[in-house]
Structures are given as C-alpha cells and as structure tokens.
Amino acid sequence: MKRKKYLLAVGAGIAGIMVSAGGTAAYLSKSVNEARNVFTAGSVNAQLTEAHWDAVLAGKTYPGQVLKKDPAVENTGENDANVFLEVNIPMQSISILDQNTGKKLLKENRELFRFQADDSKWTLLSKEQTQGNRKYVYGYKAVLKPGETTVPLFQEIAMVPYLEGELDTSKSYDVSVVASVIQKQDDGKAMKEVYQEYIKQYENDQREGIG
C-alpha cells in the first residue's frame, strides 16, 4: 500500500439552495459542515470551520443578499502542513441586473454567487469551469503549524442579483468548499506543484482503490 501524502480534510458549504415559486428568493434548507472524505497521512490532520455561518439567516435568501461565510482551516495534527481550499460555485445561463446602472444584462452563463478572496494570505492556483460549476483552488501562503488556523479565505458570499423567473424552481444550487491539507515536504517545491502532485497521488489511489 502506498504511503499517502495528503489529507482531504472536510467538505463544507451552502447546500440545498432552492428557488421560490416566484423566483424572487432562494431557500437554503440546511448548512453542511461535517467531516467527509477524510484521509490521513502520519500525524497530518485538520478541521475546516465557518465560524460566522448562520444557517437560520440563510434559510431564506434573496437576489443580491450578502451572507457571512468564512471558511478557515485549523491544523489539528502534529506536523507542519500546506493548506489548500477548493471552492465550487454553481453556474447558470441567466440575466441579472447591473448593480451600478440598474439595467438588465444579457443572458449568459454566470456564477450564481460571488466572493472576494483574501489575496494577502491566499494565492489563486487555478480556476476552471466544470459541469455546471466554476472551481477555484487557493493555496495558503504560509506553512500552517500545529495548533494554528488559517485566515479565512473570504468573509462573505453574495447571491447575484438575478431576475424573477431566471432560476429553475425545481433545482437546488450548492456551493461547496473542500480543504486539502498535505504534510509539509522539505523539497523546495512551489505551492502549485505541491498541489498538482497531491491531485495526481489522490487520483492514482482512487483508481487503485486505496483509501
């Protein structure tokens, strides 16, 4: 069995976003904040938290609403670690209002939620469009020591100012955040290279049924 070099720590995020019949509000039926897909390597361990996420407040969300959402990672293991966060934003072909002019913008494939990453502490490693989502991957600039917690990747998330009837009332729209924590390697590799090696190792292990 191969020695794993990674820990896929926790999945968390906004889940079960349902659009109301009138199309003017969205309902978040629950908040997911639990450990899942956990892999350990030696003493590497971590926890993903969202200290200011309010599931009650998020129970009914309207176009343009801003919600507090602050994903951060705590190193709960015994070794220094590199930390990465993956954010998946759902996309849909919709029209929205220009918040500066109030005019309707043409329909196109857009992200349904917006966030502003803290680029003083986090580095954007990749951005790609997947099936119905746009996936962002960020790396934490500092090595995270045992007992330390990262600065949140962002502090809030905002729903786009979509127009009535633009979103399918029968669908749910999820925003997922996944943390990947890798034991620090003393090899001088760049952050993006470390993450790419992690992905390659993870995919190989999945094909071989390891973990």
Side-chain angles (χ1 to χ4, degrees), residues 37 43 47 55 64 86 119 131 141 176 185 189 191 203 211:
N37 300 328
S43 298
Q47 181 178 3
E86 174 189 313
D119 57 13
Q131 186 65 35
K141 293 182 179 181
S176 66
Q185 305 293 310
K189 293 180 180 177
M191 189 184 305
E203 291 175 345

Side-chain angles (χ1 to χ4, degrees), residues 76-144:
T76 59
E78 300 176 2
N79 295 320
D80 294 352
N82 293 119
V83 177
F84 304 89
L85 280 177
E86 174 189 313
V87 182
N88 294 281
I89 304 294
M91 300 185 71
Q92 188 81 17
S93 180
I94 59 172
S95 296
I96 64 173
L97 290 177
D98 185 307
Q99 292 179 303
N100 294 319
T101 65
K103 294 182 178 179
K104 177 181 176 180
L105 300 179
L106 294 177
K107 179 175 289 190
E108 63 180 55
N109 199 28
R110 304 176 186 277
E111 298 177 29
L112 299 185
F113 295 88
R114 297 167 176 167
F115 65 91
Q116 181 63 52
D118 183 347
D119 57 13
S120 69
K121 301 295 184 181
W122 295 87
T123 298
L124 178 63
L125 301 181
S126 66
K127 180 174 71 172
E128 62 177 300
Q129 188 169 334
T130 59
Q131 186 65 35
N133 289 273
R134 179 161 286 142
K135 180 173 72 174
Y136 295 84
V137 176
Y138 289 86
Y140 198 59
K141 293 182 179 181
V143 172
L144 198 65

Side-chain angles (χ1 to χ4, degrees), residues 1-206:
M1 181 179 293
K2 293 182 179 179
R3 178 180 179 274
K4 298 187 184 66
K5 295 182 179 179
Y6 58 85
L7 161 67
L8 181 59
V10 180
I14 297 176
I17 300 174
M18 297 298 296
V19 181
S20 69
T24 57
Y27 296 86
L28 283 66
S29 59
K30 63 179 180 178
S31 169
V32 175
N33 191 2
E34 60 187 60
R36 61 186 183 187
N37 300 328
V38 178
F39 298 86
T40 59
S43 298
V44 177
N45 208 341
Q47 181 178 3
L48 174 61
T49 62
E50 292 180 327
H52 295 95
W53 171 249
D54 188 334
V56 175
L57 180 63
K60 185 176 181 179
T61 306
Y62 52 82
Q65 184 176 2
V66 177
L67 297 169
K68 290 186 180 298
K69 183 175 173 66
D70 49 355
V73 179
E74 179 186 1
N75 183 347
T76 59
E78 300 176 2
N79 295 320
D80 294 352
N82 293 119
V83 177
F84 304 89
L85 280 177
E86 174 189 313
V87 182
N88 294 281
I89 304 294
M91 300 185 71
Q92 188 81 17
S93 180
I94 59 172
S95 296
I96 64 173
L97 290 177
D98 185 307
Q99 292 179 303
N100 294 319
T101 65
K103 294 182 178 179
K104 177 181 176 180
L105 300 179
L106 294 177
K107 179 175 289 190
E108 63 180 55
N109 199 28
R110 304 176 186 277
E111 298 177 29
L112 299 185
F113 295 88
R114 297 167 176 167
F115 65 91
Q116 181 63 52
D118 183 347
D119 57 13
S120 69
K121 301 295 184 181
W122 295 87
T123 298
L124 178 63
L125 301 181
S126 66
K127 180 174 71 172
E128 62 177 300
Q129 188 169 334
T130 59
Q131 186 65 35
N133 289 273
R134 179 161 286 142
K135 180 173 72 174
Y136 295 84
V137 176
Y138 289 86
Y140 198 59
K141 293 182 179 181
V143 172
L144 198 65
K145 296 185 178 300
E148 292 184 341
T149 301
T150 67
V151 169
L153 174 60
F154 47 85
Q155 299 289 343
E156 57 190 25
I157 192 166
M159 190 170 218
V160 295
Y162 66 89
L163 302 177
E164 183 173 346
E166 285 294 308
L167 293 180
D168 188 342
T169 60
S170 66
K171 290 183 61 177
S172 64
Y173 303 93
D174 302 333
V175 175
S176 66
V177 180
V178 179
S180 302
V181 182
I182 308 168
Q183 184 171 326
K184 177 70 172 65
Q185 305 293 310
D186 296 322
D187 49 20
K189 293 180 180 177
M191 189 184 305
K192 189 169 185 177
E193 187 177 1
V194 171
Y195 183 76
Q196 289 172 338
E197 288 190 356
Y198 151 73
I199 291 296
K200 183 178 180 180
Q201 182 68 59
Y202 173 73
E203 291 175 345
N204 287 340
D205 285 353
Q206 290 298 296

